[in-house]
Amino acid sequence: SSAIMLMNPEGRLAIAASSGCDDKECRKSCLVLSERVAGKAARGREPVIINGPRAEGPEFRAIPGLRAFHSTIVYPLAMKGKLLGVLNVNRLGPGEPFTATDLRHATIFCSHISQAINNAALFRELEDRIKEIKAMQSQLVQSEKLAAIGQLSAGIAHEINNPLGGIMGFAEILLKSDGLSPEQREDIETILKQSRRCGEIVKNLLQFSRVKKGKEAPVDVLPVLEAALQLAAFDLRSGGVEVIRSFPAALPSVMGDAGQLQQVFLNLIMNARQAMEGKKGAKLKILAAAEGRSVALRFEDTGCGI
């Protein structure tokens, strides 16, 4: 009978393949025997032959089913100094014990096995790397799409700015008229207020989409955070997300790039929004505080988690 045992991620041996050792007792004996010998065999990278009186030694006597093995070779499978596993070969019943000639044959055989196991591991690593590359390519395509959307939104924002300026200008002129009723004045003030709000959104959008080199300068993070929340406001409202702010009256400035910080905040907000998709009572809690010489911002959501 024979069995190949490989090291699992926990550093324990597990049977990967076997022949002539189909019953549970035999497989267990192979595994326990190999574990007992593997440490010594692995340290010296030397095979071990167990037969005759040696099998009656205290280190082997307690192994169940060992008496069925007349002679045994336990051979470490190693590659470049790394233990990959163990080959266990047993002669069952009476017969000639394993000899030095058998050990030479096993050496040639085990070198092939070790190479095959190492190649399989390298192939798995290559497959994992290919999957990572494909995922990175997908992210790159998505980034390119977002960049295109950013350019498009910047163009739209510029186009909106002109008529918006006209609306605000005419609203301000109308407010200077003396013949307005209180209701008309209130309506025009509402038009002006909402137009200014649209103007702020367009301004934030233009700042966010503008490509510029990062430059560190003192930044007040709360207005930057509020600008990111304003950009995400429609998406948050449509998703039924309640935003809970826990901000102090003022925070110390931090060194950084306002545009890059706004992008980080927006990413965190949109990640939270996606994590709460379809959830009732969705809440996004944003906490800001000064901690020693640092400013800490924490984003907590009631979504699925990571």
Side-chain angles (χ1 to χ4, degrees), residues 169-180 185 188:
F170 279 111
E172 286 170 353
I173 290 168
L174 283 169
L175 283 174
K176 292 176 182 176
S177 301
D178 297 327
L180 294 176
R185 188 170 294 278
I188 295 168

Side-chain angles (χ1 to χ4, degrees), residues 1 20-31 69 90:
S1 70
C21 193
D22 300 324
D23 65 276
K24 190 176 178 181
E25 192 70 21
C26 179
R27 289 167 70 88
K28 185 179 178 182
S29 299
C30 285
L31 191 58
F69 300 161
N90 309 291

Side-chain angles (χ1 to χ4, degrees), residues 40-300:
K40 181 181 177 183
R43 281 193 296 273
R45 299 292 187 264
E46 293 293 331
V48 175
I49 296 179
I50 304 168
N51 53 44
R54 189 172 179 186
E56 298 298 320
E59 68 272 35
F60 305 126
R61 196 179 299 145
I63 298 175
L66 185 61
R67 291 184 179 183
F69 300 161
H70 174 65
S71 186
T72 296
I73 290 178
V74 179
Y75 206 110
L77 304 171
M79 180 64 64
K80 296 178 181 177
K82 181 183 178 183
L83 181 67
L84 305 174
V86 173
L87 171 69
N88 182 300
V89 185
N90 309 291
R91 281 183 172 163
L92 309 176
E96 291 293 321
F98 285 118
T99 64
T101 302
D102 296 316
L103 208 56
R104 282 197 298 274
H105 293 157
T107 301
I108 297 167
F109 184 53
C110 286
S111 69
H112 288 301
I113 296 174
S114 299
Q115 188 63 60
I117 294 167
N118 189 57
N119 287 348
L122 290 173
F123 184 71
R124 280 196 298 272
E125 286 177 15
L126 182 61
E127 281 188 322
D128 292 340
R129 184 63 184 147
I130 289 169
K131 286 177 184 175
E132 286 177 15
I133 291 169
K134 285 182 177 178
M136 282 160 49
Q137 285 174 335
S138 177
Q139 288 175 356
L140 184 61
V141 169
Q142 186 65 18
S143 296
E144 288 172 350
K145 284 181 182 178
L146 290 172
I149 291 168
Q151 289 177 349
L152 185 63
S153 64
I156 293 169
H158 276 296
E159 289 298 319
I160 290 171
N161 250 346
N162 293 329
L164 197 58
I167 292 168
M168 287 191 285
F170 279 111
E172 286 170 353
I173 290 168
L174 283 169
L175 283 174
K176 292 176 182 176
S177 301
D178 297 327
L180 294 176
S181 67
E183 291 81 7
Q184 288 172 330
R185 188 170 294 278
E186 187 179 344
D187 290 343
I188 295 168
E189 283 174 349
T190 301
I191 290 169
L192 185 59
K193 181 181 175 184
Q194 294 304 321
S195 298
R196 283 173 177 162
R197 182 168 173 268
C198 289
E200 280 297 312
I201 293 169
V202 169
K203 180 184 169 186
N204 288 333
L205 192 59
L206 283 169
Q207 283 180 344
F208 183 69
S209 60
R210 192 175 294 127
V211 178
K212 57 182 181 180
K213 291 182 180 179
K215 185 179 178 182
E216 285 201 350
V219 178
D220 188 353
V221 293
L222 291 181
V224 176
L225 179 55
E226 286 292 356
L229 281 166
Q230 199 173 49
L231 285 174
F234 174 77
D235 212 27
L236 293 169
R237 277 199 307 273
S238 62
V241 178
E242 180 190 353
V243 179
I244 302 166
R245 294 167 171 83
S246 180
F247 302 161
L251 281 173
S253 297
V254 299
M255 290 300 292
D257 178 80
Q260 291 179 348
L261 282 170
Q262 186 179 347
Q263 187 170 350
V264 171
F265 298 155
L266 189 60
N267 287 347
L268 289 168
I269 292 163
M270 297 312 293
N271 284 349
R273 159 74 179 90
Q274 289 165 13
M276 295 185 284
E277 184 71 46
K279 277 210 162 196
K280 289 184 179 178
K283 287 185 175 120
L284 170 61
K285 188 175 182 181
I286 306 175
L287 305 96
E291 295 185 358
R293 297 181 63 189
S294 301
V295 170
L297 292 172
R298 292 182 173 84
F299 295 75
E300 300 175 4

Side-chain angles (χ1 to χ4, degrees), residues 275 301-306:
D301 63 69
T302 56
C304 57
I306 299 174

